[in-house]
Amino acid sequence: MGQVPVSLLLISHLLTLPTAIHHTTAQQECTSLNTVPHQVRAGYWFSHSDRYSPVSNINTSLYTHLYYYSLSLDDTDSRVALPPDDQLPLLATFSTTIKAENPSLKTILSIATDDGQTNVSNAAFSSMVANQTLRAAFINSTMELARTNAFDGLDLAWQFPSSSSDMASLGILLAELRARINEEAQSSSSPLLLTATVYFSNHLFDVPADNLDYPMEAISDNLDWTNALCFGYHKNSDVTAFDAPLYDKASHFSTSYGITSWLDAGIPACKLVMGVPLYGRSWFLKNKMKNEAGAPVVAAGPRQKMSNQTGMMAYSEIKEILKDPDVVFLYDNQTVSAYIHSGRLWVSFDSLEVVEVKIKFALQKRLLGYFLWPISFDDSNYTVSKQASDIWLRNHDSPYYEDENGVEQAPSPAQLPPQDDALTPSAALSRSTHRSPTTHQLHLDLYILLFLLFYLTTL
Ligand SMILES: *[C@@H]1O[C@H](CO)[C@@H](O)[C@H](O)[C@H]1NC(C)=O
Ligand SMILES: *[C@@H]1O[C@H](CO)[C@@H](O)[C@H](O)[C@H]1NC(C)=O
Ligand SMILES: *[C@@H]1O[C@H](CO)[C@@H](O)[C@H](O)[C@H]1NC(C)=O
Ligand SMILES: *[C@@H]1O[C@H](CO)[C@@H](O)[C@H](O)[C@H]1NC(C)=O
Ligand SMILES: *[C@@H]1O[C@H](CO)[C@@H](O)[C@H](O)[C@H]1NC(C)=O
Ligand SMILES: *[C@@H]1O[C@H](CO)[C@@H](O)[C@H](O)[C@H]1NC(C)=O
Ligand SMILES: *[C@@H]1O[C@H](CO)[C@@H](O)[C@H](O)[C@H]1NC(C)=O
């Protein structure tokens, strides 16, 4: 046993290092569409939180796309409903205000079932998509409103289609929208972007209909990208729960499950965008000594000023609570979740640690990007937006990103490997052996290679 076997071992190790840039078929699929951007670092801005988070305060350098959330549907004629009079100026100036600061930022008008103030019923969407005349009215009015107010795109945030005929009609609507957008683009400079905001997984749980799946072909073919709402997993829980864990051994309700389900169903990764919540879920504990996840609760947490809903808190509101030195902050590295408790109050939320691991997960999955929901809930320094953007850019723009192992290793979970599919823990375990080389290791390996070449040529 001399130096040669050792050298060969090292060389074989080095040969496994990526030296070429890999383009997956999915990436090719995306670059063939000229409207698809290189990356998406998006934020939803809640028009109804304007008084707390005005457009003029947004740090526009932190995003590539901003969503105006939202307008709803007028159920009398299926046209887009104009906002209340006092919000009309906001709609009219949103895009121009943002672009004055950052001309490369794109703005997208979101049409939603839930506009945060009125509760537009899913029934209005159901009847609109089911009827060709009503679909045409919807398409015409949304496109017109987007253009008159200088938006670059349209988003359909139907939460959620709930029958198989809803799903089939949604597919038809998306195809018709795409056709109209392409047609219109011939007479205008650039086509409107078209996105949809969808359930966290491609398969809907907790709906009366069985086997309710999104129309994958219509989604992949007609949308520029799809935003998966990767949060709100335990809205009506009667025990404390993590609202948006990345991993969950016990159920399907996790971001890793949802993202993997969309990818497995066939959406190209470069057309999928992962949601990260800037709100937390709060409860009052039954017993303040029982303060783990899964602890009994007596009620939803207190309504706060800006988030304005019991059981919900904005990141900025949680940060205020954290100023109290008696508040306990904990990070759960198995599920990638954070929570605080203080007396009887218990809140789960996405801390900066959670955001870091989730963004790295999105990078490792080669997703087109992420969106923050909503940026109105960030603190006044836009700390979460900055954290997400910094981590995304540092990795995405690194020369190693093109290599499939090129993303910095997320710091956790260290003990428990990632689980993409809650039902096959063994598959997840085997993945834990795929440790990626860090930038430093790659540099080190290159030095070893140079040394070996030198050594071998001098033999
Ligand atoms: C906005 O974010 C950028 C990028 O992180 C930062 O350099 C800049 O200082 C921020 N601007 C303000 C006004 O905070
Ligand atoms: C909206 O309507 C749904 C179902 O009709 C209901 O469960 C929900 O509580 C309503 N939300 C608000 C904010 O009123
Ligand atoms: C579609 O909607 C239009 C306008 O409301 C109505 O006149 C027509 O009867 C509807 N068509 C069907 C098939 O329901
Ligand atoms: C909407 O319909 C009106 C009236 O038919 C038409 O003039 C306009 O061009 C349409 N707009 C779009 C965006 O299709
Ligand atoms: C809070 O929500 C209620 C409806 O639930 C609404 O009437 C009220 O105007 C909202 N308050 C603020 C400050 O937005
Ligand atoms: C924002 O940043 C400034 C300067 O670093 C700091 O003094 C202030 O406390 C921060 N505000 C929040 C809400 O974090
Ligand atoms: C994860 O949590 C466990 C238990 O709290 C701890 O022992 C371990 O060091 C943590 N790992 C990381 C990487 O933080």
Side-chain angles (χ1 to χ4, degrees), residues 137-154:
F138 175 79
I139 292 170
N140 178 293
S141 67
T142 48
M143 286 177 65
E144 202 138 283
L145 199 66
R147 286 298 189 195
T148 16
N149 293 287
F151 283 92
D152 301 296
L154 277 173

Side-chain angles (χ1 to χ4, degrees), residues 202-203 213-214 216-217 220 259-268:
N202 82 303
H203 179 92
D213 291 341
Y214 275 95
M216 290 311 299
E217 235 178 81
S220 295
I259 292 297
T260 307
S261 82
W262 279 103
L263 296 173
D264 285 352
I267 196 167

Side-chain angles (χ1 to χ4, degrees), residues 363 366 391-403 405-408 439 442:
L363 286 154
R366 291 301 180 263
I391 288 164
W392 178 272
L393 290 175
R394 194 166 74 219
N395 287 279
H396 194 269
D397 296 350
S398 135
Y400 299 113
Y401 180 70
E402 296 292 349
D403 156 38
N405 290 320
V407 178
E408 290 168 9
T439 306
L442 284 173

Side-chain angles (χ1 to χ4, degrees), residues 350-414:
D350 278 17
S351 66
L352 296 182
E353 295 83 348
V354 172
V355 171
E356 172 170 2
V357 180
K358 284 189 176 176
I359 297 298
K360 287 178 177 173
F361 173 84
L363 286 154
Q364 275 156 353
K365 291 283 177 188
R366 291 301 180 263
L367 304 188
L368 177 63
Y370 64 85
F371 70 89
L372 303 174
W373 177 280
I375 61 162
S376 316
F377 287 3
D378 212 336
D379 67 19
S380 53
N381 291 332
Y382 285 86
T383 308
V384 179
S385 300
K386 193 166 175 351
Q387 168 83 341
S389 177
D390 284 353
I391 288 164
W392 178 272
L393 290 175
R394 194 166 74 219
N395 287 279
H396 194 269
D397 296 350
S398 135
Y400 299 113
Y401 180 70
E402 296 292 349
D403 156 38
E404 67 171 308
N405 290 320
V407 178
E408 290 168 9
Q409 270 303 291
S412 62

Side-chain angles (χ1 to χ4, degrees), residues 240-391:
T240 57
F242 299 132
D243 188 71
L246 180 56
Y247 305 111
D248 185 351
K249 273 190 295 178
S251 84
H252 289 315
F253 290 97
S254 71
T255 296
S256 58
Y257 177 87
I259 292 297
T260 307
S261 82
W262 279 103
L263 296 173
D264 285 352
I267 196 167
C270 57
K271 281 192 158 198
L272 185 59
V273 172
M274 178 188 80
V276 176
L278 266 81
Y279 72 87
R281 181 85 48 201
S282 64
W283 286 276
F284 284 113
L285 296 167
K286 192 168 182 188
N287 173 351
K288 67 178 180 182
M289 304 307 285
K290 292 193 111 180
N291 49 33
E292 295 299 307
V297 298
V298 288
R303 179 190 289 258
Q304 304 290 295
K305 222 167 150 187
M306 171 167 55
S307 46
N308 194 24
Q309 259 185 55
T310 58
M312 239 181 129
M313 274 190 201
Y315 176 80
S316 57
E317 291 163 345
I318 295 167
K319 230 179 140 176
E320 278 303 306
I321 293 175
L322 270 165
K323 283 184 181 162
D324 177 349
D326 292 334
V327 174
V328 179
F329 166 86
L330 290 150
Y331 173 68
D332 181 76
N333 67 15
Q334 312 286 289
T335 59
V336 185
S337 311
Y339 62 106
I340 60 173
H341 58 84
S342 170
R344 301 254 307 251
L345 178 68
W346 196 98
V347 190
S348 81
F349 71 111
D350 278 17
S351 66
L352 296 182
E353 295 83 348
V354 172
V355 171
E356 172 170 2
V357 180
K358 284 189 176 176
I359 297 298
K360 287 178 177 173
F361 173 84
L363 286 154
Q364 275 156 353
K365 291 283 177 188
R366 291 301 180 263
L367 304 188
L368 177 63
Y370 64 85
F371 70 89
L372 303 174
W373 177 280
I375 61 162
S376 316
F377 287 3
D378 212 336
D379 67 19
S380 53
N381 291 332
Y382 285 86
T383 308
V384 179
S385 300
K386 193 166 175 351
Q387 168 83 341
S389 177
D390 284 353
I391 288 164

Side-chain angles (χ1 to χ4, degrees), residues 119-248:
N119 197 355
V120 185
S121 76
N122 271 323
F125 270 71
S126 281
S127 20
M128 180 271 289
V129 293
N131 178 314
Q132 190 181 356
T133 316
L134 300 180
R135 284 198 306 271
F138 175 79
I139 292 170
N140 178 293
S141 67
T142 48
M143 286 177 65
E144 202 138 283
L145 199 66
R147 286 298 189 195
T148 16
N149 293 287
F151 283 92
D152 301 296
L154 277 173
D155 174 56
L156 188 69
W158 179 3
Q159 300 169 45
F160 299 99
S162 58
S163 69
S164 52
S165 71
D166 277 356
M167 286 299 190
S169 305
L170 171 65
I172 296 170
L173 174 70
L174 295 180
E176 288 176 354
L177 261 165
R178 170 54 63 198
R180 263 309 278 131
I181 284 173
N182 289 349
E183 194 185 325
E184 191 226 26
Q186 291 167 0
S187 58
S188 98
S189 51
S190 53
L192 285 169
L193 292 165
L194 181 61
T195 69
T197 300
V198 298
Y199 196 63
F200 81 100
S201 102
N202 82 303
H203 179 92
L204 270 80
F205 300 106
D206 302 333
V207 285
D210 282 340
N211 294 321
L212 196 56
D213 291 341
Y214 275 95
M216 290 311 299
E217 235 178 81
I219 282 182
S220 295
D221 292 353
N222 299 303
L223 294 173
D224 288 293
W225 70 85
T226 301
N227 295 321
L229 291 160
C230 297
F231 38 80
Y233 302 145
H234 300 287
K235 267 182 209 153
N236 304 313
S237 173
D238 54 6
V239 294
T240 57
F242 299 132
D243 188 71
L246 180 56
Y247 305 111
D248 185 351

